[in-house]
Amino acid sequence: MLKDTVAVELPLMDTSEGIVLFHPNIPENAVKQLKDVLESRWIGQGPKVQMFENLFDTRIAAPCKSIAVGSGTDALHLAYLLADIQPGDEVIVPVFTCTATNIPLLYIGAKIVFCDIDENLNINADAVEDLITDKTKAIVCVHYGGLPCNMDVLWELGRKYDLKIIEDAAHALGAKYRGKTIGSESDFSMFSFQAIKHITTGDGGMLTIKDEELVEKAKRLRWFGIDRLRKQKGIWENDITEIGYKYQMTDLSAALGIASLEEFDKHLEHRQRLYRKYCEQLAGADGIRIIGNEYPEREHAAWLLTAEVDNLGDFIRHLRHYGIESGQVHYRNDRYSIFGGSVKGRFDMMDRMEDRYVVLPLHSKVSEPDVEKIAGIIKRGW
Ligand SMILES: Cc1ncc(COP(=O)(O)O)c(C=O)c1O
């Protein structure tokens, strides 16, 4: 059973009622890009997917290579298979994340080892080493809301104990760590293009891979284990020796991805400007702390505006009274029955944050005056 949280269940608002928490970001060129695909011979995985991957390499992943898939969850599952995580292997993951980070590990039969979070809602990198055993195969970190984790510590542990580092960057498209884009450095990183992410392909995801030798394998696994190029050349002696699945992206989705990537710089800048505005407006305000703005070496991708607040239920109701949506988006995973359903470790920071963290509106339909208005309402008190 999930613990009751103080989060207030309110019906979703319509945009006409005020400032909503999320809104899909549809690029100007979406219809033109989609039309091209609909009028072509390919609507499934074809040339647009390849083009999207190439653009993604250039903009985000290089020197890593990008593989487009049907969802961020697919990308994680594929990463775990490519990292050779076997039944019984231990994988260290943050206790606070979307369940999508961890569900593929259950499919594999790996043992999930939860690690506490830090005050930014990211994995507490300083608590990871104590969880490593001779069965540990990988460390998964989640850049929650778009704020990069403490990668120096995690990469060092990866080297010291020969562990794969897998970055769940579903929230972190465009984030940077020490000047390098998230997705360009670790063994594996993944991104999500689900409806309300920085860019959306309806549903979709990208896996970036450091080891070039795994790229062809990744392509086979995303298509049942079949080498599609050899098959297209008419060679039917194309045995399947690895169990793949159907993780591929379609050209329809990739068309949206291409159109979104073309506008991405502008969109990212907008989000980051809103994030800074919130920080500026709420600096020193009573009862609220904006999360993640104190790290010069980390560039926040500003997917979510997360804050820690006193009296969460009253806070959410106060904002809602003025037509502003806020709320919690993800929940600690250790309480879900599929992951064991009971607390097995000490998660002091998770215990503190679970009834205090909140998300405020930050997306393409929110303006800087909107943020000023929201901050003004918050400063009146709740
Ligand atoms: C942290 C995190 N990881 C992974 C995912 C899964 O991505 P997708 O919804 O594209 O499968 C999500 C959710 O969207 C997420 O929030």
Side-chain angles (χ1 to χ4, degrees), residues 1-146:
M1 270 289 280
L2 280 176
K3 178 177 175 276
D4 283 343
T5 71
V6 296
V8 182
E9 295 293 340
L10 292 166
L12 281 182
M13 272 174 26
D14 187 86
T15 41
S16 61
E17 293 172 67
I19 306 173
V20 296
L21 190 49
F22 292 114
H23 202 286
N25 178 37
I26 307 300
E28 277 172 30
N29 254 342
V31 173
K32 184 191 166 301
Q33 278 285 353
L34 278 170
K35 190 163 173 286
D36 281 358
V37 176
L38 290 169
E39 289 171 354
S40 77
R41 210 190 132 204
W42 291 97
I43 61 167
Q45 187 200 328
K48 290 278 183 190
V49 168
Q50 176 78 59
M51 200 184 297
F52 184 34
E53 289 172 344
N54 294 345
L55 281 173
F56 205 84
D57 280 351
T58 309
R59 177 66 183 77
I60 303 287
C64 293
K65 287 277 178 226
S66 308
I67 298 289
V69 289
S71 68
T73 313
D74 286 350
L76 282 158
H77 201 172
L78 198 49
Y80 299 155
L81 295 175
L82 293 166
D84 195 30
I85 295 169
Q86 298 286 333
D89 286 345
E90 294 180 7
V91 180
I92 298 170
V93 298
V95 66
F96 180 64
T97 181
C98 174
T99 51
T101 313
N102 295 324
I103 284 176
L105 293 168
L106 294 182
Y107 272 103
I108 288 173
K111 184 174 171 217
I112 292 168
V113 178
F114 287 122
C115 182
D116 200 1
I117 51 171
D118 62 19
E119 68 282 7
N120 302 309
L121 306 170
N122 280 343
I123 193 165
N124 180 355
D126 295 325
V128 170
E129 189 162 15
D130 282 350
L131 301 174
I132 295 173
T133 70
D134 54 8
K135 289 198 173 146
T136 308
K137 198 66 168 277
I139 301 167
V140 181
C141 64
V142 179
H143 307 301
Y144 195 82

Side-chain angles (χ1 to χ4, degrees), residues 70-76 96-102 141-145 168-171 190-197 202-206 303-304 329-330:
S71 68
T73 313
D74 286 350
L76 282 158
F96 180 64
T97 181
C98 174
T99 51
T101 313
N102 295 324
C141 64
V142 179
H143 307 301
Y144 195 82
D168 179 333
H171 304 176
M190 59 66 65
F191 298 88
S192 163
F193 310 131
Q194 167 262 354
I196 52 171
K197 294 296 189 321
D203 250 321
M206 195 70 85
W303 182 58
L304 296 178
V329 179
H330 298 106

